[in-house]
Amino acid sequence: MSSNEQALAALSQQLEGQIAPLDQWSPQQCGTIDIHITADGRWFHHGTEIKRARLVKLFASVLWREQGQYYLKTPVEQMAIRVDDAPLLIVDWRLATAQNAAHSAVICIDNIGREFVLGAQHPLLIHADPQGQKLPYLQLPYGVQAKLARTVYYAWAEQLAQPQGEEFIIYSAGESFSLGG
């Protein structure tokens, strides 16, 4: 592993901190819980918006997705929840510049304040939202995705994107990603 790759791995570990080992838990499926996450990233329980950011962060820390279904997963139970689109949004970003400009990294900040390095571990994916519009999403741990907020998309298009044919490409952590066409 090169020194740039080691620096990026260290940065990623520092930003993401301790992540719950959801992949090591094998709980029983216990049905559903009346938690609904709207397309704009707001969390509701029994129809009432969850306003406490720390509670949303706690729930997000045990968010798991498999076969298109989102769950809250603990060591003893796994309960399905309803998600309209992506449960999280990328609402801000910053650029971490390494000594070698080819290994600069885009740091993505989600709507609950967590940071992720756009790169091989957390790639940018383009797929259709529920209305059929092709949009960029950041892949997070355990199958969870975060949709790019429109402001972030336009900032990247203006400040980072390089045209390549019909697409706009951005570079981060030694990888290239399409913003779409």
Side-chain angles (χ1 to χ4, degrees):
M1 184 181 284
S2 74
S3 62
N4 281 329
E5 291 170 329
Q6 288 174 335
L8 284 170
L11 175 62
S12 185
Q13 176 63 32
Q14 176 187 357
L15 293 176
E16 293 181 39
Q18 194 71 0
I19 295 178
L22 302 182
D23 57 338
Q24 297 173 18
W25 300 343
S26 299
Q28 288 187 358
Q29 188 137 336
C30 299
T32 62
I33 185 170
D34 189 8
I35 290 182
H36 171 221
I37 306 171
T38 61
D40 62 359
R42 294 181 301 143
W43 293 56
F44 291 82
H45 181 253
H46 291 291
T48 302
E49 187 172 1
I50 302 171
K51 298 274 189 178
R52 290 180 49 205
R54 291 178 73 177
L55 189 54
V56 171
K57 278 186 176 187
L58 175 65
F59 286 148
S61 73
V62 294
L63 197 55
W64 170 272
R65 182 176 178 219
E66 61 184 341
Q67 298 176 351
Q69 175 63 55
Y70 281 96
Y71 299 91
L72 297 182
K73 186 175 183 179
T74 71
V76 295
E77 63 185 6
Q78 176 172 300
M79 301 193 74
I81 63 171
R82 188 167 53 115
V83 177
D84 288 345
D85 188 3
L88 300 164
L89 300 172
I90 300 301
V91 296
D92 205 357
W93 66 282
R94 62 188 168 83
L95 197 58
T97 307
Q99 291 174 344
N100 178 348
H103 288 285
S104 295
V106 175
I107 310 301
C108 301
I109 304 165
D110 71 15
N111 57 318
I112 59 173
R114 298 179 308 173
E115 298 182 327
F116 301 91
V117 175
L118 173 62
Q121 189 175 8
H122 301 295
L124 195 63
L125 311 170
I126 305 293
H127 62 79
D129 71 355
Q131 289 74 39
Q133 185 177 5
K134 291 199 179 234
L135 299 173
Y137 293 76
L138 184 69
Q139 183 64 57
L140 303 180
Y142 306 123
V144 176
Q145 293 184 351
K147 181 170 55 177
L148 257 66
R150 191 175 302 246
T151 55
V152 172
Y153 175 86
Y154 286 126
W156 286 5
E158 181 182 317
Q159 298 173 36
L160 301 178
Q162 299 176 15
Q164 204 170 69
E166 299 272 324
E167 294 184 290
F168 290 96
I169 305 296
I170 63 171
Y171 297 90
S172 176
E175 303 282 332
S176 62
F177 302 96
S178 172
L179 281 179

